[in-house]
Amino acid sequence: MEKRKLGNTDLHIYPVAFGGNVFGWTLDEKKSFEILNGFTEAGFNFIDTADVYSRWAPVNTGGESERIIGKWLKEKKNRHNIVLTTKVGSDMGDGRKGLKKQYILKAVEDSLQRLGTDYLDLYQTHFDDVETPVEETLEAYAQLQKDGKIRWIGTSNMSPERILASLEASAAKGLPRYETLQPHYNLYAREKYETQYESLALENGLGVITYFSLESGFLTGKYRTKDDLGKSPRGGDMDKYFDERGLKILAALDEISNQYKATPAAVSLAWLIQRPSVTAPIVSATSKSQLESIILAPQLNLDADAIRLLDKASTWQL
């Protein structure tokens, strides 16, 4: 397993990132530690979270994931071995949201405190704030870089137009430049990324770290019928995937999984890893068996026939 350079940064990561959205939601602190230990002991080094994780769970207020990761980093004393990223811009409640400079300067302090670190390897715009000029947001990041609190910046959930405007402002004014893009992309959700973002990422050398890499669990093959929807908290919206295209994707995953003696999840991730524009998929796990699929994915070298089969089954083009 070889490390990959993340965009134009000096960060080098193994080709799967762990998504911390499950911490404090479907995983308690003890189980979170077990999964993080398993992930890093297998050699992986990139952990992704956000200030808002997991505010959506009952009684949560946001920051739960960062706190758990922070406690784990303190216990393991391994901060220097981890590429750590979090995000800003989501609605944290009580008017705490957006990308204005003063808000970002406060939000990063809160994240650093919860994570128990004095710097972030990567700080990402989570959701755009179109009422705030891109220059103001980038100026906040410039201040944080100057203060040594963040090293690099990235973006997610921002329109192609606003990303380009940000890149132009960075070049024109000597401001920090977005070096990574975190899009929603996987075998099922292909069209938006491939038509609007992929060429932008390639042309500008952006490292791409995909979220919902297993489409909330659909691409694991765990959900086969509507009777399976109660298997996890994520199952409620899964019935929308049981269309002709979704079933074709599952059939192709089954065929390739049997051929490579791997799980559908590992094959789905391997397909992403082998996409020329993708640096690493972000994926979560809530059990050791799920973690094993993540660990196996970089070792699967899908051949051209396997890639063609998956491409054809998942095509969005008529």
Side-chain angles (χ1 to χ4, degrees):
M1 186 170 63
E2 295 183 358
K3 287 183 178 179
R4 295 178 169 187
K5 186 178 180 182
L6 187 56
N8 291 312
T9 74
D10 60 359
L11 303 174
H12 291 79
I13 64 173
Y14 291 107
V16 173
F18 196 92
N21 60 314
V22 292
F23 301 146
W25 175 31
T26 52
L27 285 181
D28 60 19
E29 183 176 300
K30 181 181 178 182
K31 290 291 185 182
S32 298
F33 279 30
E34 291 175 2
I35 293 294
L36 283 167
N37 287 338
F39 182 72
T40 53
E41 286 167 6
F44 297 94
N45 66 333
F46 188 22
I47 298 173
D48 173 273
T49 188
D51 56 5
V52 75
Y53 297 166
S54 48
R55 182 173 176 250
W56 52 82
V59 311
N60 284 2
T61 59
E64 287 79 14
S65 175
E66 290 180 332
R67 289 189 190 93
I68 287 174
I69 293 169
K71 289 180 181 178
W72 175 77
L73 290 170
K74 182 178 181 180
E75 179 181 286
K76 301 297 289 188
K77 296 181 174 59
N78 63 348
R79 173 67 184 91
H80 62 288
N81 295 326
I82 300 299
V83 175
L84 183 62
T85 174
T86 192
K87 310 181 198 73
V88 64
S90 287
D91 188 350
M92 293 287 286
D94 300 322
R96 296 174 297 155
K97 63 178 180 179
L99 298 174
K100 293 191 180 303
K101 182 175 181 179
Q102 289 306 310
Y103 176 71
I104 290 175
L105 297 181
K106 175 64 168 65
V108 77
E109 295 295 341
D110 294 339
S111 286
L112 291 171
Q113 182 177 27
R114 289 188 290 259
L115 289 163
T117 185
D118 55 4
Y119 75 98
L120 296 164
D121 297 292
L122 178 68
Y123 198 37
Q124 299 172 83
T125 292
H126 199 175
F127 289 92
D128 198 6
D129 173 5
V130 295
E131 296 179 0
T132 300
V134 296
E135 292 84 357
E136 179 177 346
T137 299
L138 296 172
E139 287 168 2
Y141 294 147
Q143 182 64 52
L144 294 176
Q145 282 188 342
K146 180 182 177 182
D147 294 343
K149 294 176 180 177
I150 65 173
R151 300 195 59 229
W152 303 97
I153 62 169
T155 187
S156 180
N157 302 301
M158 182 179 277
S159 71
E161 294 77 17
R162 288 272 287 182
I163 295 174
L164 287 171
S166 298
L167 294 173
E168 290 168 1
S170 298
K173 302 191 175 184
L175 294 167
R177 179 184 186 271
Y178 287 132
E179 300 293 355
T180 65
L181 173 65
Q182 187 173 144
H184 178 186
Y185 184 51
N186 56 57
L187 261 174
Y188 189 91
R190 293 180 56 185
E191 183 175 3
K192 185 175 181 179
Y193 172 73
E194 291 179 11
T195 58
Q196 298 182 36
Y197 291 94
E198 190 166 34
S199 61
L200 185 158
L202 289 169
E203 290 167 6
N204 291 280
L206 303 181
V208 175
I209 44 178
T210 62
Y211 74 85
F212 285 168
S213 302
L214 293 173
E215 196 62 17
S216 298
F218 174 71
L219 295 172
T220 67
K222 177 179 180 179
Y223 305 95
R224 300 287 180 159
T225 69
K226 294 187 178 182
D227 292 335
D228 295 331
L229 302 185
K231 287 184 176 181
S232 82
R234 292 183 168 189
D237 296 328
M238 208 58 60
D239 57 348
K240 64 186 177 185
Y241 300 112
F242 296 125
D243 55 12
E244 182 180 358
R245 180 168 171 268
L247 296 176
K248 282 183 179 179
I249 292 171
L250 289 181
L253 285 172
D254 286 341
E255 182 174 339
I256 303 302
S257 296
N258 289 333
Q259 178 184 341
Y260 283 83
K261 295 181 172 56
T263 63
V267 172
S268 298
L269 294 174
W271 179 85
L272 277 172
I273 290 169
Q274 290 181 226
R275 292 290 295 185
S277 65
V278 174
T279 308
I282 300 169
V283 64
S284 300
T286 56
S287 67
K288 290 184 178 179
S289 62
Q290 290 177 9
L291 189 61
E292 288 171 3
S293 293
I294 295 172
I295 292 168
L296 177 61
Q299 302 172 38
L300 290 182
N301 186 19
L302 302 179
D303 63 24
D305 289 339
I307 295 292
R308 275 194 293 270
L309 178 62
L310 292 168
D311 286 349
K312 182 178 180 182
S314 63
T315 185
W316 47 267
Q317 296 170 314
L318 297 177

